[in-house]
Amino acid sequence: MAVETATDKTMTMREAVGAYVRDGDTVSLEGFTHLIPTAAGHEIIRQGRRGLTVVRMTADIVVDQMLAAGCVSRLVSSFVGNSSAGSLGELRRRVERADPEPLAFEEYSHYGMICRYIAGAQRLPFYPLRSYGGSDLPGVNPAMRKVTSPYPGPDGESEQIYVVPPVNPDVTIVHAQRADRSGNTQVWGLTGVQAEAVYAARKAVVVVEEIVEDEVVRSDPNRTLIPAHAVDAVVVCPRGAHPSFAQGYYDRDNAFYRAWAGISKDKERLTAWLAEWVHGTRDHAEYVAKLGEEFWDGLAVGEAMSLPVNYGRRL
Amino acid sequence: MAVETATDKTMTMREAVGAYVRDGDTVSLEGFTHLIPTAAGHEIIRQGRRGLTVVRMTADIVVDQMLAAGCVSRLVSSFVGNSSAGSLGELRRRVERADPEPLAFEEYSHYGMICRYIAGAQRLPFYPLRSYGGSDLPGVNPAMRKVTSPYPGPDGESEQIYVVPPVNPDVTIVHAQRADRSGNTQVWGLTGVQAEAVYAARKAVVVVEEIVEDEVVRSDPNRTLIPAHAVDAVVVCPRGAHPSFAQGYYDRDNAFYRAWAGISKDKERLTAWLAEWVHGTRDHAEYVAKLGEEFWDGLAVGEAMSLPVNYGRRL
Amino acid sequence: MTTGTSENTGSAAAVTSSELLSVVASRELAGRRTVFAGIGLPTLAASLAHLTVAPGLEIVYESGVCGAHPSHLPETIADAVLITGAEAVIPMPTLFGSVLQGGHIDVGFLGAAQIDKWGNLNSSVIGDWHHPKARLPGSGGANEVMANSREVFVVMRRHDPRSFTEELDFCTSPGPDRALADGIRPLGAGVTRVITELGILAREGVGEELKLTALHPGVTAEDVKAGTGWDLQVADDLSVIEPPGDAELALLRDDVDPERVYLR
Amino acid sequence: MTTGTSENTGSAAAVTSSELLSVVASRELAGRRTVFAGIGLPTLAASLAHLTVAPGLEIVYESGVCGAHPSHLPETIADAVLITGAEAVIPMPTLFGSVLQGGHIDVGFLGAAQIDKWGNLNSSVIGDWHHPKARLPGSGGANEVMANSREVFVVMRRHDPRSFTEELDFCTSPGPDRALADGIRPLGAGVTRVITELGILAREGVGEELKLTALHPGVTAEDVKAGTGWDLQVADDLSVIEPPGDAELALLRDDVDPERVYLR
């Protein structure tokens, strides 16, 4: 019936960051431990963006790198640590000593961040959640407010609940395993809050391990976490989530996570690292090549294929 | 590492309805056009439950049948029609003429119902939605109320929004393609609001086309829409969604939808239909057998298999 | 395209009501990107627009299907053929929350039992809600489609004063004027086009009544006013609707609905 | 099980702090069905409990993994080995909204930099939030785990007055007493067990302070009071904790963490 007229939204990372990330923008980078859009963060550093507000649940290595490169003036996050592998050196210098400059920090909890994305995606003025009662967080984050329920609580009395406001990033960037050229994006393994972060954004860039033919995506439409209508650009960038992982593609580089505590603690080492690995590479392909095939062999994963399901065909 | 100690929650439909549906209960039956738990509705009729509050977005044939059988005193719904194939005769008699008895009806919209399930699942006192402004629905449904946002709107003024209250059914019954014995339930094709309806409920019964081995479910954990911890009973009931369909298993019986307008319009025909097809069959297996193999051949579907994805294996 | 009317042109001689409404509705979708459509005329109109005036058009179905590529014409919004081969099938909370309420729908298609001059719709009851003469299906997703689409097209098979009424028996899906009066800020314009066998009524947004803007050949403004239960405004630049052309009809009949599931 | 202490029994001679804490925590999970646990000691404790006192126990991970069957001991809550072969991997909104806030978690495990007598926790800052001496990672999901689990277990590696403090520098994750004072109705009991190398502090719910209820062999109540920054209440029926037994240690060392990823 319908003729194929899908729009090709593929572009290079340089083009995507050039087109969709501007100085002063609010930029969401999502991916909960899995599929962290590191390569996109590196390209933002290469292009020298300034004054960004970064929104990210787990502000980890890529955020520390963007902070060190001077891209970020405000951070909205619920966890500012290097996973369980130590501290983020630059972040701590910025927050504890305003060194080399202050960092505005809006602190949330994980679910608070999730609810902000949901509210943003669903165009809601606020989202209620059963967190924060008695916490000191609302005292340092005036965006956490209370609403009285119009229904009586279990005890018949009126009931209060905290709410958080929507977040609507200028652009959300996520990493995924695969997409078609028009942006139908398939993710498996941990899916985090990526779909909500994309729907909340004015523009969305999806970075993928690979572009696949339409038939691959359409063989399993339930696997499409982000439909094409929510996507503005598709960037092919294999291994773009390193040092995090891409389920079924490559494993997590735990050694790098552990190393980051030391690198980031020493500003000179950190600066040298950025010079060598980010400014010193033209793009992520060079970064990948510089790490070398032997390195990547160490993160290779074997096969554990899903069993197919039948979507059925009218006879 | 962990030893296998999964609980076997399988039981017959008779046992499940006997154990989890009591007179006067609030029962949610979900499945949006796809995977409608018809066989469960029929067993509720067979067991002669009375005074139920039925919660279902699209109150369609199975609800009309339960109404006609005298099981239901209150209906909470957002669409009371026989798909696009005509009217629900019994429902209209109950609502328009209190014949043979009145039916309490709480009218919502689809998203209002969805939000009630979400609020119920998430233990929220209310859920906000951008519906109902200026509608006559709040005038006949006092559960639709307004809340003032604690944040200024786009124009700087305070902003109001409608909210709906949570629904927490005593039991939710859904139909699905497959589950393991402990209740990890996999659904593909239209997934509707089933997961939220299950999480909102005090007890949950999952009816499936087939029980599969643990390895099948675990080969694709993202396909598990409802985890075992939310499920109390698993009932194997092939073709239990007829006349609706199960993607990849059998097609929709459109002829029966069209026939229902005529059957239900005539109370005698309707009573005869129930006597023959529900009271006259011991269980759904008999109903299926009575329809006959030739009939089922007409609803058979061909193969359209999903392409597998790699979840990866540590080398 | 032909220039004749549906009454007197060769290939168009057999133009059915469904074909006429589908073709006219399809033209109104020019340049739109996303349409939220039910099965039947809206699907026909959107599919035809996809082949003609809106090649990038995506139909989003209330069931959660995006980018369907059905092997057969679907009989319901949840037809299995819509799912197999689709680009995405999303859960209903995402569909209604993020896609529709999130503001991703350009045009929503709705039907109704009654419409008033502000484009408010009734699909709940005829008569009093508490003791209805006729209980209709109700909102379904109509209330949300109205509240959250940029604009709404209504296709009405009947154009008579009972359907086009001064006062709705019940307002299921209010346009933005009623929403504002209730203190709720609407997203979109509400109903902007009403397409019937007599012509097209249109309005652009808040504060505007539906106005007769176009007539099918052979229909007069007086005919439409007689079929409308309120004192209908008529546009100064009232135009005549081009009848369905050969190319449009060929696509509709041969490509969109060859089995004539809806083109009865 | 042995009856000796960790100091003087053969197999237990080499009992490490991690082993001690894991074994003691595992016993407290008897009869629980669902535990929300991070990687490290909580995973060890839950995995051991699964093999001993709580055979039906399910570990739910903050990353969205339910019913994991990992081929190797996971190094993070999002380790790829947790996903492959799991029973379910659910989106974070479902995990936090429906599973955790929905009330499906019996026991949440939390760590913290500081804890006070009511079981309120600080994981945000040492010093003033606006000018912190040390910026810590923050809540992550801790605030939600505290607010929504039926009860919370805390494993603290250090038992000293800086960590067990009269007054938190900042309250990231408040127990139900603070929630109630803020007008918010809590779901669960808050912290009910604090497990350290000195012993176990316990409270049952609202209005109760943490009280010393059990000691490791060789530790006195005075030792614990000296390590606690508030005037610690001591239970009348203070008991002595059974040291890790041979069976427990064997399971922990051979089955749960044979590669000694966490049993350093």
Side-chain angles (χ1 to χ4, degrees):
Chain A
M1 298 207 328
V3 172
E4 302 298 317
T5 49
T7 316
D8 187 335
K9 296 174 187 156
T10 57
M11 58 181 76
T12 66
M13 184 74 87
R14 189 172 302 142
E15 290 166 344
V17 168
Y20 293 113
V21 183
R22 289 153 201 278
D23 287 353
D25 270 1
T26 295
V27 180
S28 162
L29 299 165
E30 277 304 341
F32 188 79
T33 312
H34 183 216
L35 297 171
I36 297 174
T38 314
H42 288 181
E43 182 59 25
I44 289 170
I45 293 173
R46 285 191 198 96
Q47 295 196 19
R49 289 292 176 279
R50 289 291 176 270
L52 302 180
T53 293
V54 167
V55 185
R56 176 160 168 72
M57 287 176 64
T58 51
D60 42 16
I61 291 176
V62 67
V63 171
D64 213 30
Q65 293 169 346
M66 291 171 72
L67 289 170
C71 307
V72 184
S73 56
R74 176 175 287 267
L75 177 64
V76 183
S77 182
S78 45
F79 190 87
V80 292
N82 176 17
S83 182
S84 47
S87 284
L88 301 175
E90 182 72 13
L91 184 137
R92 291 192 59 176
R93 282 188 293 277
R94 292 278 296 265
V95 172
E96 294 169 10
R97 308 204 305 261
D99 170 19
E101 54 181 336
L103 175 69
F105 177 40
E106 297 177 28
E107 182 168 3
Y108 285 89
S109 61
H110 276 351
Y111 194 45
M113 290 289 287
I114 292 168
C115 292
R116 292 200 63 190
Y117 283 123
I118 296 173
Q122 299 185 354
R123 214 168 46 87
L124 288 172
F126 61 83
Y127 199 93
L129 73 172
R130 291 201 181 271
S131 306
Y132 306 141
S135 172
D136 283 335
L137 284 167
V140 298
N141 185 341
M144 297 171 176
R145 298 185 186 172
K146 279 187 215 165
V147 158
T148 301
S149 171
Y151 309 105
D155 56 3
E157 299 288 309
S158 80
E159 189 173 11
Q160 288 192 304
I161 189 163
Y162 274 93
V163 299
V164 291
V167 61
N168 291 109
D170 293 303
V171 60
T172 286
I173 307 178
V174 297
H175 194 93
Q177 280 109 333
R178 69 188 187 193
D180 63 22
R181 292 176 177 278
S182 60
N184 289 296
T185 304
Q186 299 197 321
V187 183
W188 56 99
L190 303 175
T191 57
V193 75
Q194 280 98 309
E196 289 74 16
V198 162
Y199 271 115
R202 292 182 182 87
K203 297 289 177 185
V205 176
V206 170
V207 185
V208 291
E209 289 295 317
E210 55 177 337
I211 293 281
V212 292
E213 293 307 312
D214 293 348
E215 301 81 70
V216 174
V217 165
R218 296 180 194 172
S219 84
D220 201 355
N222 287 112
R223 192 86 74 192
T224 304
L225 195 75
I226 303 168
H229 63 237
V231 174
D232 296 279
V234 180
V235 173
V236 191
C237 183
R239 296 165 173 170
H242 175 265
S244 78
F245 67 112
Q247 193 83 33
Y249 288 74
Y250 48 89
D251 217 333
R252 192 170 190 263
D253 183 359
N254 289 317
F256 187 77
Y257 276 86
R258 286 190 292 269
W260 187 256
I263 295 169
S264 71
K265 190 169 186 178
D266 177 340
K267 180 73 185 205
E268 274 182 44
R269 274 186 76 192
L270 173 47
T271 305
W273 190 92
L274 284 176
E276 178 177 0
W277 290 94
V278 182
H279 296 297
T281 54
R282 267 167 39 90
D283 55 23
H284 196 70
E286 267 196 33
Y287 171 101
V288 167
K290 188 173 159 72
L291 282 164
E293 269 315 301
E294 200 179 329
F295 168 84
W296 290 107
D297 288 348
L299 299 182
V301 297
E303 272 196 1
M305 305 305 284
S306 66
L307 295 171
V309 299
N310 184 18
Y311 275 88
R313 189 170 49 76
R314 185 148 297 160
L315 295 169
Chain B
M1 296 208 332
V3 172
E4 303 298 317
T5 49
T7 316
D8 188 335
K9 296 174 189 158
T10 56
M11 57 181 76
T12 65
M13 184 74 88
R14 188 172 302 142
E15 290 167 344
V17 168
Y20 294 113
V21 182
R22 289 153 202 278
D23 287 353
D25 270 0
T26 295
V27 181
S28 163
L29 300 165
E30 278 303 342
F32 188 79
T33 313
H34 182 215
L35 297 170
I36 297 173
T38 315
H42 289 180
E43 183 59 24
I44 290 170
I45 293 173
R46 285 191 198 96
Q47 296 197 16
R49 289 293 176 280
R50 288 292 175 269
L52 302 180
T53 293
V54 167
V55 184
R56 175 161 170 72
M57 288 177 62
T58 51
D60 42 16
I61 291 176
V62 68
V63 171
D64 213 30
Q65 293 169 346
M66 292 171 71
L67 289 171
C71 307
V72 185
S73 56
R74 175 174 287 268
L75 177 65
V76 183
S77 181
S78 45
F79 191 87
V80 292
N82 177 15
S83 182
S84 48
S87 283
L88 301 176
E90 183 71 12
L91 184 136
R92 290 191 59 177
R93 282 188 293 276
R94 292 280 295 266
V95 173
E96 294 169 10
R97 309 204 306 260
D99 170 20
E101 54 181 336
L103 175 69
F105 178 39
E106 298 178 27
E107 183 169 1
Y108 285 89
S109 60
H110 276 352
Y111 194 46
M113 291 288 288
I114 293 168
C115 292
R116 293 200 63 191
Y117 283 123
I118 297 173
Q122 299 184 354
R123 214 168 46 87
L124 289 172
F126 60 83
Y127 199 93
L129 73 171
R130 292 201 180 271
S131 305
Y132 306 142
S135 172
D136 282 336
L137 285 166
V140 297
N141 185 340
M144 296 172 177
R145 297 185 186 172
K146 278 188 216 166
V147 158
T148 301
S149 170
Y151 310 105
D155 57 3
E157 301 287 311
S158 79
E159 188 172 13
Q160 288 192 304
I161 189 163
Y162 273 93
V163 299
V164 290
V167 62
N168 291 108
D170 294 303
V171 59
T172 286
I173 308 178
V174 298
H175 194 93
Q177 279 109 333
R178 68 188 188 195
D180 63 23
R181 291 174 179 281
S182 60
N184 290 297
T185 305
Q186 300 198 321
V187 183
W188 58 98
L190 302 177
T191 56
V193 75
Q194 280 97 309
E196 290 74 16
V198 162
Y199 270 116
R202 292 182 183 86
K203 298 288 178 185
V205 176
V206 170
V207 186
V208 292
E209 289 296 318
E210 54 177 337
I211 293 281
V212 292
E213 293 307 312
D214 293 349
E215 301 80 72
V216 174
V217 164
R218 296 180 194 173
S219 83
D220 201 354
N222 286 113
R223 192 86 73 195
T224 304
L225 196 73
I226 303 167
H229 63 236
V231 174
D232 296 279
V234 179
V235 173
V236 191
C237 184
R239 296 166 173 171
H242 175 265
S244 78
F245 67 111
Q247 193 82 31
Y249 288 74
Y250 47 89
D251 217 334
R252 191 170 190 262
D253 183 359
N254 290 314
F256 187 78
Y257 277 85
R258 286 189 292 269
W260 187 255
I263 295 169
S264 69
K265 190 171 185 177
D266 177 340
K267 179 73 185 207
E268 275 182 43
R269 274 186 73 192
L270 174 47
T271 304
W273 190 92
L274 284 176
E276 178 177 1
W277 290 94
V278 182
H279 296 296
T281 54
R282 266 167 39 90
D283 55 22
H284 196 70
E286 268 196 32
Y287 170 100
V288 167
K290 188 172 159 75
L291 281 165
E293 268 317 300
E294 200 179 331
F295 168 83
W296 290 107
D297 288 347
L299 298 182
V301 297
E303 271 196 0
M305 304 304 285
S306 67
L307 295 171
V309 299
N310 185 17
Y311 275 89
R313 188 171 49 76
R314 186 148 296 161
L315 295 170
Chain C
M1 289 197 186
T2 74
T3 50
T5 71
S6 58
E7 271 76 27
N8 61 15
T9 297
S11 73
V15 169
T16 67
S17 164
S18 295
E19 288 172 340
L20 178 68
L21 294 170
S22 301
V23 168
V24 173
S26 77
R27 294 173 185 162
E28 300 292 323
L29 289 169
R32 270 43 171 239
R33 294 196 326 159
T34 50
V35 52
F36 197 92
I39 294 299
L41 292 184
T43 309
L44 295 183
S47 298
L48 180 57
H50 186 73
L51 296 171
T52 54
V53 295
L57 192 69
E58 181 190 3
I59 306 177
V60 176
Y61 291 94
E62 196 179 47
S63 54
V65 179
C66 306
H69 300 275
S71 59
H72 300 66
L73 194 78
E75 290 194 44
T76 72
I77 53 161
D79 193 314
V81 301
L82 284 172
I83 286 90
T84 303
E87 296 168 23
V89 175
I90 59 179
M92 295 200 86
T94 305
L95 191 272
F96 274 91
S98 297
V99 180
L100 182 54
Q101 189 173 280
H104 287 264
I105 300 299
D106 290 338
V107 179
F109 265 97
L110 291 176
Q114 294 181 325
I115 184 169
D116 71 13
K117 71 177 74 162
W118 305 103
N120 302 306
L121 303 178
N122 172 21
S123 58
S124 290
V125 287
I126 298 300
D128 174 49
W129 188 90
H130 295 278
H131 303 93
K133 282 190 214 114
R135 177 64 232 191
L136 309 173
S139 166
N143 184 283
E144 282 80 30
V145 170
M146 181 72 92
N148 297 301
S149 303
R150 301 278 158 192
E151 55 185 318
V152 170
F153 290 3
V154 173
V155 179
M156 298 282 278
R157 284 186 179 272
R158 271 192 296 196
H159 196 143
D160 61 34
R162 286 177 54 194
S163 304
F164 288 74
T165 179
E166 177 74 35
E167 183 116 23
L168 301 178
D169 289 5
F170 186 88
C171 179
T172 314
S173 306
D177 296 279
R178 279 188 70 131
L180 283 167
D182 191 19
I184 301 293
R185 186 181 296 106
L187 173 68
V191 175
T192 57
R193 298 288 182 278
V194 184
I195 297 153
T196 79
E197 286 183 56
L198 298 182
I200 299 175
L201 313 190
R203 60 185 279 288
E204 294 312 314
V206 171
E208 275 189 56
E209 290 186 23
L210 284 165
K211 185 182 290 188
L212 177 63
T213 58
L215 295 166
H216 290 294
V219 178
T220 66
E222 284 313 306
D223 294 340
V224 184
K225 286 170 78 76
T228 303
W230 68 84
D231 185 13
L232 179 66
Q233 296 183 13
V234 178
D236 296 336
D237 54 344
L238 193 60
S239 63
V240 176
I241 298 166
E242 187 83 11
D246 290 343
E248 289 167 321
L249 288 170
L251 286 169
L252 193 59
R253 292 167 178 175
D254 302 340
D255 293 318
V256 174
D257 189 8
E259 297 169 48
R260 302 194 73 76
V261 174
Y262 300 115
L263 290 176
R264 46 206 153 90
Chain D
M1 288 199 188
T2 73
T3 50
T5 72
S6 56
E7 271 77 27
N8 61 13
T9 298
S11 73
V15 169
T16 67
S17 163
S18 296
E19 288 171 341
L20 179 67
L21 294 171
S22 301
V23 167
V24 173
S26 77
R27 295 173 186 162
E28 299 292 323
L29 289 170
R32 274 32 176 246
R33 294 196 325 156
T34 50
V35 52
F36 197 92
I39 294 299
L41 291 184
T43 310
L44 295 182
S47 298
L48 181 57
H50 187 74
L51 297 172
T52 54
V53 294
L57 192 68
E58 181 191 2
I59 307 177
V60 176
Y61 291 95
E62 197 180 45
S63 54
V65 179
C66 306
H69 299 275
S71 59
H72 299 67
L73 194 78
E75 290 193 45
T76 72
I77 52 160
D79 193 313
V81 301
L82 284 172
I83 285 91
T84 303
E87 295 168 25
V89 175
I90 59 180
M92 296 199 85
T94 306
L95 190 272
F96 275 90
S98 298
V99 180
L100 182 54
Q101 189 173 278
H104 288 265
I105 300 299
D106 290 338
V107 178
F109 265 98
L110 291 175
Q114 293 180 329
I115 184 170
D116 71 13
K117 72 176 76 162
W118 305 102
N120 302 306
L121 303 179
N122 172 22
S123 57
S124 290
V125 287
I126 298 300
D128 174 48
W129 188 91
H130 295 280
H131 304 93
K133 281 189 217 120
R135 176 65 233 190
L136 310 173
S139 166
N143 184 284
E144 283 80 31
V145 171
M146 181 72 94
N148 298 301
S149 303
R150 301 278 158 193
E151 55 184 319
V152 170
F153 290 3
V154 174
V155 180
M156 299 281 277
R157 284 189 178 270
R158 271 193 294 197
H159 197 144
D160 61 33
R162 286 176 56 193
S163 305
F164 289 73
T165 179
E166 177 73 37
E167 182 117 22
L168 302 178
D169 289 6
F170 186 89
C171 178
T172 314
S173 305
D177 296 280
R178 279 188 69 130
L180 283 167
D182 192 19
I184 301 293
R185 186 181 298 106
L187 174 67
V191 174
T192 57
R193 298 288 182 277
V194 184
I195 296 153
T196 79
E197 287 184 57
L198 298 182
I200 298 177
L201 313 191
R203 59 186 278 288
E204 294 312 315
V206 171
E208 274 190 54
E209 289 185 23
L210 283 165
K211 185 181 288 189
L212 178 64
T213 58
L215 294 166
H216 291 292
V219 178
T220 66
E222 283 313 306
D223 294 339
V224 184
K225 286 170 77 76
T228 304
W230 68 84
D231 185 14
L232 180 66
Q233 297 183 14
V234 179
D236 296 336
D237 54 345
L238 194 59
S239 63
V240 176
I241 299 167
E242 188 82 12
D246 289 342
E248 289 168 319
L249 288 170
L251 286 170
L252 194 60
R253 293 167 178 175
D254 302 339
D255 294 318
V256 174
D257 189 9
E259 296 167 50
R260 301 192 76 75
V261 175
Y262 301 115
L263 289 176
R264 49 207 150 89

